[in-house]
Each structure stands twice: as C-alpha cells, then as structure tokens.
Amino acid sequence: MQGLMHHFIDKQWVTSRGERRLPVTDPYHDTLIAEVTAGAPEDVDAAVSAARRALPAWRALGGVARGAYLDAFADALAERRDELAALSSRNNGKPRAEAEQDLSDAIACYRHYAGEARDLEARQGETVSTGEAGLVSRRYQEPAGVAGLITPWNFPLVSSAWKIAPALAAGCTVVFKPSEVTPLPEQALAEIAQAIELPAGVFNLVHGDGANIGAPLTAHPGVDKLSFTGSNPVGEAVMAAAARGTRNVSLELGGKSPILVTEDADLDLATELVLAGFCYNAGQMCSATSRLLVHERVANALHDRLDAAIAELVAGDPQDPATTLGPLVNATQRHRVSAYLAEAEAEGLTPTTTPALALPDQGHFVSPRVFRDVPTASRLWREEIFGPVLCARAVRDDDEAVALANDSAFGLAATVVAGTGERADALANRLTAGNVWCNTYQVAPPGLGWGGMKGSGLGRELGRAGLDAYLEARYVTRPA
Ligand code: NAD
C-alpha cells in the first residue's frame, strides 16, 4: 500500500483541502494499493496561481533551455523505466511488455519535443512570404499560456507525455490532472520535475476526480488552453467550459475504428493485426479497430485463424512475462463491457469464439468475443465498448467496405490489410480517419500526428501540429 497521493503545486508536495479519498486498485489482485485525494476546487486555484506566476519566466527562458529540461525528463524516465513499467502494469492491469512499450513511447515523446523546443527558438521571427510586392512579414510564436491537461487511465505516461511535452516545449506552464484510476505512474512525473529542478510552478499535478478537480480546472478563468483526452460526454463538457472566455481547446475522444481485410490479403498478417486491434490493452484503446470488414471470399478462413489465435492468448498476472491478456482496469469497466455483452444477447447475437478463453479465477477479466454479421443498427456495431469485443461483417467489395467503414459517428483510426501496399494506400485514402495503418501494427511515433475526425475529437497531438496546439502565432508586416 503506497499511502495517500499528494498534489505537486509550486514545487511542493501539498495535502489536499478535500477530505474524501478515492481507492487506487490493482485490477489483477483486486486489492487496494494506494489512495488518492478527491481534491477540491481550492487545490485547482492554488495550482493555477502557481502556473500563472511561473509563466513569464518560463516563456522568456527560450526553446533551447526548455528543451534541456525535456531531455532531462526523458533521461529520468529512461532511468526509471523498469520500475515505472512495473507500476503502470500493476495499476492498470496491462501486460508488462505493453507497459514497457508505453514507457518507450513516453520517453521518445519527451525527447522529440526537446528537439521541437530548440527548433521553435530557431524559427522565431522567420520571414514568411506575404505574396505582396514591397512588404515583408515575420512570424513569431508565443505560448498559449497556462495549460490545463486532463488524461484518462488507459495509457498512463503516454497520454500525458503527448500533452505535457509539447506544452512545456511551447513555453506554457502546466496544471495536469491524471486519471484518478491510474495516478501511481503519473505521480513519477512530479517526482521527476522536482529531481531535475524544474522551476517552481512550471509543472503542477493535481489529483482527484472529474467533479472536484477536472470540472473546476476546465472552468478556471486562469487557464488559457485546455487539452483533454477521454470520453465523448466529458469532452463535450470540456468544450462547453472552454467556450466561456473563448479559450483554446484540444480534444482526443472516443472511436469505433474499422479494420478492412481484402480478398488478396496475407491472412496470417491479417489475423495478427485484427487480434492486436481489439485485444491489445484488453481492448481498452481509443484506436481499437473493433469493426472488422472482411471480403466475403476470405471471411471464413480469417475467422478460423482468429479463433485459433484467441485460444492461444494467455490471460494471467500482468507481471508474468507469459501473459498476453490482462484484466480490465477495474470493476466499473468490466460492468460496462458486460452490459454490452448482455445487450448482444438481447439482440440475438451469438459470439463465434467458443469455447471462451480460460480465465484466472481472480481479476476483472473479460474473455475476447467475436460477433459475426452484426447488424449496422446494433449498439455493438456503433458504440465504443472499450473491451475485447470485435464486431464483424463480410463485404462483397471495396466500395461496400469503405461505405461501412465511414458510416460511423467517429473517425479516429483505421487499419487496411491488402495484398499490396498500393491497394492498401488507395483504400486508406478513402477513409475518414485521422490515422490509417496499412499492413502494419498501430504505431504513433512522436514525429507524426494523432487525432480524430468527426466525433473523435478536435485538433492533433504529436508532431509539429501537437506543438502548434500550445502556441499562438503573431505575424508582423512592414514595407521591405
Ligand atoms: P473519462 O472521460 O471518464 O475521464 C477522462 C478524464 O477526465 C479523467 O481524468 C477524469 O477524472 C476526467 N473527468 C471526468 N469528468 C470530468 C469533468 N466533468 N470535467 C473535467 N474532467 C473530467 O474517460 P476514461 O473512462 O478515463 O477513458 C476512456 C475514454 O477515453 C474512452 O472513451 C476513450 O476512447 C477515450 N480515449 C481517447 C483517446 C484518444 O486519443 N482519442 C485516448 C485514450 C482514451
């Protein structure tokens, strides 16, 4: 038991003024491993005030010096990689190898934005073409101000890296609220900020739930920029809060992403990618490709391979290197997924995956389920389930696959498995999705971009766009 998680405000460990505590659990052993304060709006006030005080000096420091701090974040995470991967796996329930991949992604992200911070300084005042004879323009980019950052529980240290690294690189100061479900690994960021002697108030971490910390943070007039990753209903509330004061907002929300398999695809590769698309992190991925659209000529062969691959998954202790499927993050999430399985039964849908995978008699496990010929009106086809549940349909041709893929309220991601890269590219370019992976696993290198179309969000994280999200541009024009 790790005790009570404290806030980190103005470079100090601060006990919350709120008395209510929330349990932090290990979803495999179903035990209490820590408690987190539910926080109070006064804690948000204190953190925002600290961030505002720190802003002028952090902005003035310049990109090169800020980049050095981001490199120090990356170095410190790399030094603590094993310990933090173990902690993340324990708190979230994800297999250890997946937690290690998260650490690699987070480290790469801080490293990438160290470089972006340096580039930003080099680009300040660069000449831009006006298209008008006799005029010269220069562009400057200023930090957006104090950034309020809120993340979910499914990729601890990764979702936060995608916000904290570009915000600090841009010259913003930060108030970060991690998910109350997985605060343990995120707490390390405050320890690192202290260890690398980041100036007071530049990075503040406030623990707590949505009502007591999240909503007050989004409503706070001292916050200039909001960046939220999480569910659609909360995302819409964050956007409404940002409307007051016309504040800058980025949203990374849910998905119901498709995976397309053509008749000439390599079916072994397709099997691997379909399985990973809905079972990695036990399906708790915003980018889960949980709608399979497979050409009717290869549908049976693919489903046979998929059933065999599911049977080979090893559900068990997330810390055991042999484990490939961990439990869901908590009982609430298991109930959410179970409610969809009950809905499937009520709709007369029967999973093809029989017998179900053997599960440990402890932990919040859900056995992977595949449903075939799911009607497009079904809630299982249209809504994000956030668990290891795949809905499949056989299609006659590419046109039907594309039409069904795009018939969704979301547009976060997609995968295409086709016989050639060219064919996959051609299909990818017809899809309404922010990221499309062709004949490869889901990857999100920090130099690319991440974000959704339609109901999946607003704006992009990662890459140059992810930095621009924390910057305001000023164009200065005069006669040449
Ligand atoms: P959630 O929306 O319940 O919570 C996300 C965060 O918001 C948590 O820190 C929570 O405490 C906070 N919060 C809750 N109510 C709030 C309020 N009223 N105001 C401000 N903050 C509030 O989501 P979750 O259950 O933690 O995560 C699952 C969801 O996140 C899924 O829908 C998933 O698709 C989405 N997600 C999206 C991406 C992406 O990149 N698009 C990535 C990961 C997760």
Side-chain angles (χ1 to χ4, degrees), residues 150-154 159 177-180 208-211 214-215 218 228-232 234 237-238 252-255 286 336 384 386 412 450 456:
I150 300 177
T151 58
W153 44 260
N154 54 343
S159 307
K177 189 203 102 54
S179 169
E180 64 277 29
D209 56 17
T218 60
F228 170 82
T229 300
S231 62
N232 283 68
V234 178
V238 172
E252 298 292 343
L253 307 177
C286 51
R336 264 187 220 157
E384 181 176 54
F386 234 55
L412 184 57
W450 182 276
S456 289

Side-chain angles (χ1 to χ4, degrees), residues 208-393:
D209 56 17
N212 290 283
I213 294 288
L217 180 59
T218 60
H220 203 294
V223 175
D224 305 293
K225 159 81 195 183
L226 288 165
S227 181
F228 170 82
T229 300
S231 62
N232 283 68
V234 178
E236 289 181 8
V238 172
M239 193 164 171
R244 285 190 294 278
T246 323
R247 290 172 303 147
N248 186 325
V249 62
S250 303
L251 302 173
E252 298 292 343
L253 307 177
K256 187 74 187 182
S257 298
I259 178 163
L260 283 61
V261 179
T262 60
E263 76 286 359
D264 58 352
D266 171 343
L267 290 189
D268 290 331
L269 176 66
T271 305
E272 278 177 41
L273 298 181
V274 172
L275 184 75
F278 84 104
C279 286
Y280 194 83
N281 205 15
Q284 302 165 116
M285 288 187 291
C286 51
S287 57
T289 44
S290 56
R291 290 187 297 139
L292 168 64
L293 296 156
V294 53
H295 193 282
E296 59 190 9
R297 244 185 282 151
V298 294
N300 287 340
L302 179 66
H303 278 288
D304 288 347
R305 283 173 162 81
L306 199 52
D307 286 351
I310 291 168
E312 282 177 19
L313 288 172
V314 180
D317 183 346
Q319 303 286 340
D320 182 340
T323 296
T324 51
L325 183 78
L328 299 191
V329 76
N330 56 22
T332 309
Q333 192 59 23
R334 181 161 50 84
H335 291 144
R336 264 187 220 157
V337 176
S338 301
Y340 277 104
L341 297 175
E343 171 76 19
E345 213 177 316
E347 288 183 15
L349 299 172
T350 314
T352 60
T353 33
T354 47
L357 186 70
L359 297 178
D361 53 13
Q362 65 181 95
H364 301 295
F365 285 90
V366 169
S367 185
R369 306 285 209 295
V370 177
F371 293 95
R372 288 182 71 171
D373 306 322
V374 178
T376 56
S378 165
R379 283 185 54 204
L380 274 82
W381 183 261
R382 309 208 77 85
E383 297 178 14
E384 181 176 54
I385 298 175
F386 234 55
V389 180
L390 180 72
C391 294
R393 290 184 66 87

